[in-house]
């Protein structure tokens, strides 16, 4: 009988339930449910609708039952850094504020009053992003101290959903590292740092590795969805899952996990917490098997997503990409400029940047998309050179995984700007990486090497030469 495994992969713009099984040594995937995700404003704060997302999670589970494809196990991954605080009756305290909200403005200074930025990087290895959990908790401490006082637990978003399914609280390691409160040496919470910052120690749950069996569904969930299954923690940070599925067993592999963000980097055995690395704003995110993802967060296709939304979804992603490829405008923006993180209008933000820098102002949808794609590609080129400088390795190929691997024009630009052969795909890398960890935990895939070989054998890649 076929054994199914279920990955629930929720990105910042969409979520999906993907069932996976093995057939003659290959992984076969089937999409069971897909749903929208995005931020909505509540009490003046940009929030995730976690209740709605949990409903979608259960809807997808019911669809598996209806199809007669009940998974042996399941696991959830989402974007990183965001969390909920729970009181001692497990009720959520305050809003589920999203990382693009402005509440963290100025909280970096408050953190650095406790510990200088250089020291913080030296002990966590995590890139400064104003939305990291460390700064978000400082915002809560400043604006809603009563929430921190009442809190008995902090759970990152996938940990929270998995708690709702099983009744068990834990902090999955790969996602926990994005809080900037975990030590790359001990792979555990840095309680000294946590206490210095005045965050209550009691709210931090035990850190557990991907592959941990969290437990079975509660009786209530079993009754509602109509079956029971094990919850096995994947790399719950979606980037952690996506990078697992980069189809290469070569020691020196360069990748971009391309979705809402473009996460460009390499895998390393040790974290580089040096001043030089901090200066270039590289991060050392915790990965499967205690590998580190040495990478840079680049603003990514969020810019295209925002453009598409602002144009009232009049064009598809494929359409925008195609239109952009026919344009000749040469204006470029610095994608990592903070003005692009959460602008009221992405169109205006791009146009103003071009105006401020004396470049041609893009006007049409095609021109706007062209400027964004070209700017992303330029940023990839610069980042590759920095990675090569930091690692002392010359890379020949660049793997692009995630939804952005569909963007043919961007892939062509990327090959040109980096000088690397671009291998695009798989596009559902995050779900695949999620499934890989469950299958490794169950012994269906022997180890990471075998699992990556299986991805290579199972999914197509498109090749773009520089
Ligand atoms: N056919 C296509 N042509 C061009 N671009 C595409 C196409 N399909 C998807 N994309 C790009 O991929 C992006 C979606 O990627 P993906 O589905 O991995 O994101 P996500 O899961 O919602 O978010 P996250 O990266 O946070 O996980 C879109 O924003 C779009 O820019
Ligand atoms: C904030 C983002 O969630 C995070 O940095 C990124 O790695 C991600 O999760 C992309 O989906």
């Amino acid at each position: 009988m076929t054994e199914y495994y279920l990955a629930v992969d929720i990105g910042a713009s969409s979520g999906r339930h993907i069932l996976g099984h093995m057939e003659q040594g290959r992984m076969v995937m089937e999409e069971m449910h897909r749903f929208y995700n995005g931020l909505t404003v509540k009490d003046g704060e940009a929030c995730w609708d976690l209740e709605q997302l949990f409903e979608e999670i259960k809807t997808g589970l019911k669809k598996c039952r209806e199809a007669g494809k009940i998974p042996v196990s399941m696991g959830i991954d989402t974007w990183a850094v965001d969390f909920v605080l729970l009181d001692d009756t497990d009720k959520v305290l305050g809003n589920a504020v999203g990382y693009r909200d402005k509440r963290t403005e100025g909280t970096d200074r408050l953190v650095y009053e406790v510990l200088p930025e250089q020291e913080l990087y030296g002990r966590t290895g995590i890139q400064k992003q104003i939305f990291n959990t460390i700064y978000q908790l400082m915002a809560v401490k400043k604006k809603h101290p009563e929430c921190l006082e009442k809190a008995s637990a902090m759970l990152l978003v996938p940990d929270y959903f998995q708690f709702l399914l099983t009744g068990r609280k834990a902090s999955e390691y790969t996602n926990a590292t994005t809080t900037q409160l975990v030590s790359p040496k001990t792979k555990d919470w840095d309680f000294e740092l946590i206490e210095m910052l005045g965050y209550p120690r009691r709210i931090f749950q035990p850190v557990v590795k991907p592959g941990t069996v969290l437990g079975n569904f509660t009786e209530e969930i079993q009754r509602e969805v109509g079956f029971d299954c094990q919850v096995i923690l994947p790399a719950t940070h979606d980037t952690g899952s996506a990078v697992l599925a980069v189809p290469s067993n070569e020691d020196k592999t360069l990748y971009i996990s391309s979705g809402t963000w473009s996460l460009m980097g390499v895998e390393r055995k040790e974290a580089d917490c040096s001043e030089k690395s901090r200066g270039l704003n590289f991060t050392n995110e915790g990965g499967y098997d205690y590998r580190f993802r040495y990478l840079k967060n680049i603003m990514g296709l969020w810019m295209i997503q925002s453009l598409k939304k602002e144009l009232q979804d009049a064009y598809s992603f494929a359409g925008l990409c195609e239109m952009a490829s026919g344009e000749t405008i040469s204006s470029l923006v610095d994608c990592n400029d903070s003005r692009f993180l959460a602008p009221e209008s992405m169109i205006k933000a791009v146009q103003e940047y071009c105006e401020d820098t004396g470049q041609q102002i893009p006007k049409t949808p095609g021109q706007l998309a062209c400027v964004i794609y070209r700017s992303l590609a330029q940023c990839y080129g610069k980042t590759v050179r920095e990675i090569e400088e930091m690692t002392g390795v010359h890379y020949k190929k660049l793997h692009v995984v995630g939804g952005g691997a569909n963007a043919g024009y961007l892939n062509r630009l990327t090959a040109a700007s980096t000088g690397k052969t671009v291998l695009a795909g798989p596009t559902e890398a995050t779900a695949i990486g999620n499934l890989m960890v469950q299958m490794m935990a169950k012994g269906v895939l022997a180890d990471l090497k075998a699992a990556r070989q299986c991805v290579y054998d199972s999914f197509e890649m498109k090749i773009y030469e520089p």
Side-chain angles (χ1 to χ4, degrees):
M1 222 176 68
T2 311
E3 282 190 343
Y4 294 100
Y5 297 83
L6 176 66
V8 180
D9 165 33
I10 312 181
S13 66
S14 62
R16 61 291 244 159
H17 289 55
I18 306 272
L19 272 180
H21 71 272
M22 295 298 288
E23 238 174 69
Q24 294 166 343
R26 296 199 176 178
M27 193 188 285
V28 178
M29 306 217 302
E30 185 181 351
E31 185 176 303
M32 303 305 290
H33 184 48
R34 186 170 277 264
F35 48 96
Y36 167 82
N37 188 26
L39 290 163
T40 46
V41 178
K42 193 175 166 195
D43 309 325
E45 294 179 313
C47 297
W48 301 110
D49 190 345
L50 297 189
E51 279 177 27
Q52 176 58 27
L53 287 177
F54 194 60
E55 286 307 311
E56 298 287 3
I57 290 170
K58 289 186 289 185
T59 301
L61 292 173
K62 288 176 203 164
K63 285 189 180 175
C64 293
R65 188 206 61 217
E66 283 155 17
K69 295 178 176 176
I70 291 179
V72 173
S73 68
M74 67 160 298
I76 303 177
D77 65 77
T78 76
W79 67 96
V81 303
D82 289 342
F83 61 90
V84 290
L85 293 172
L86 301 179
D87 70 10
D88 52 13
T89 64
D90 294 329
K91 207 169 131 281
V92 176
L93 291 158
N95 290 333
V97 182
Y99 61 85
R100 288 189 203 268
D101 186 76
K102 293 192 171 31
R103 69 174 172 167
T104 51
E105 270 174 15
T107 55
D108 46 349
R109 269 185 292 106
L110 299 177
V111 168
Y112 305 148
E113 277 168 19
V114 176
L115 193 77
E117 190 179 351
Q118 294 83 335
E119 277 182 49
L120 182 62
Y121 188 81
R123 67 193 287 162
T124 63
I126 294 296
Q127 161 187 31
K128 178 181 177 184
Q129 308 240 54
I130 193 61
F131 49 71
N132 288 346
T133 320
I134 190 172
Y135 305 112
Q136 293 202 45
L137 279 171
M138 190 53 83
V140 178
K141 190 177 163 201
K142 205 172 130 224
K143 292 178 186 158
H144 296 288
E146 72 289 353
C147 286
L148 264 193
E149 277 154 29
K150 279 193 208 146
S152 67
M154 179 199 75
L155 290 176
L156 291 167
V157 170
D159 295 327
Y160 174 57
F161 289 143
Q162 282 161 155
F163 160 67
L164 293 179
L165 290 175
T166 63
R168 281 198 54 200
K169 296 187 189 110
S171 276
E172 187 278 317
Y173 166 72
T174 65
N175 214 18
T177 64
T178 70
T179 61
Q180 211 171 353
L181 292 166
V182 166
S183 159
K185 289 201 185 106
T186 64
K187 279 64 172 180
D188 199 356
W189 297 115
D190 183 340
F191 281 115
E192 198 184 39
L193 171 62
I194 285 168
E195 277 169 4
M196 278 193 283
L197 292 161
Y199 303 156
R201 189 185 170 114
R202 65 176 181 277
I203 66 175
F204 295 90
Q205 305 304 306
V207 175
V208 295
K209 289 166 70 170
T212 300
V213 178
L214 190 66
N216 283 63
F217 288 169
T218 62
E219 280 177 16
E220 197 188 329
I221 295 291
Q222 287 182 41
R223 265 196 306 277
E224 192 173 344
V225 302
F227 66 92
D228 185 19
C229 88
Q230 265 184 351
V231 174
I232 297 183
L233 301 181
T236 60
H237 179 193
D238 56 4
T239 309
S241 278
V243 170
L244 274 171
V246 171
S248 163
N249 271 315
E250 283 173 27
D251 241 7
K252 319 281 180 203
T253 299
L254 184 65
Y255 56 78
I256 302 177
S257 170
S258 177
T260 300
W261 291 88
S262 303
L263 297 316
M264 179 170 214
V266 295
E267 235 175 28
R268 297 178 98 177
K269 293 273 158 66
E270 302 291 333
D272 179 348
C273 305
S274 66
E275 258 306 282
K276 188 168 180 195
S277 179
R278 186 186 70 80
L280 291 171
N281 214 16
F282 276 100
T283 201
N284 296 270
E285 291 175 347
Y288 184 80
D289 205 16
Y290 289 147
R291 290 153 186 251
F292 289 94
R293 284 187 310 287
Y294 189 66
L295 60 79
K296 191 175 278 201
N297 262 48
I298 299 168
M299 200 65 75
L301 293 164
W302 153 254
M303 297 178 78
I304 289 287
Q305 289 168 7
S306 306
L307 172 66
K308 181 173 177 284
K309 201 167 169 190
E310 227 173 306
L311 297 169
Q312 265 107 46
D313 291 315
Y315 307 92
S316 64
F317 287 124
L320 276 174
C321 200
E322 187 55 36
M323 272 156 50
S325 71
E327 298 291 343
T328 52
I329 183 166
S330 61
S331 307
L332 292 169
V333 301
D334 172 6
C335 299
N336 287 337
D337 191 304
S338 59
R339 70 174 92 188
F340 301 120
L341 183 65
E344 268 178 31
S345 159
M346 185 62 79
I347 295 180
K348 274 201 196 122
V350 170
Q351 289 175 331
E352 276 168 19
Y353 188 102
C354 293
E355 191 172 10
D356 293 351
T357 50
Q359 303 181 82
Q360 183 187 339
I361 299 171
K363 298 228 164 74
T364 63
Q367 285 180 338
L368 284 156
C370 179
V371 170
I372 294 172
Y373 284 128
R374 283 169 40 84
S375 303
L376 282 172
Q378 188 207 36
C379 187
Y380 298 162
K382 181 166 174 271
T383 305
V384 165
R385 291 187 285 280
E386 291 170 354
I387 292 172
E388 291 189 334
E389 187 191 330
M390 290 306 296
T391 59
V393 176
H394 177 75
Y395 303 87
K396 287 200 178 116
K397 295 181 274 187
L398 167 60
H399 287 267
V400 179
V401 298
N406 285 310
Y409 175 54
L410 179 59
N411 293 333
R412 292 200 296 279
L413 292 172
T414 303
S417 72
T418 60
K420 314 290 175 198
T421 299
V422 168
L423 304 156
T427 52
E428 290 296 351
T430 308
I432 296 169
N434 179 326
L435 292 169
M436 282 163 69
V437 172
Q438 296 182 53
M439 289 179 173
M440 285 191 279
K442 288 286 184 188
V444 177
L445 292 167
D447 53 24
L448 185 53
K449 194 167 177 222
R452 280 187 164 146
Q453 183 62 47
C454 170
V455 179
Y456 181 86
D457 294 338
S458 309
F459 303 97
E460 256 182 56
M461 285 187 284
K462 275 196 184 155
I463 300 176
Y464 300 80
E465 293 297 347

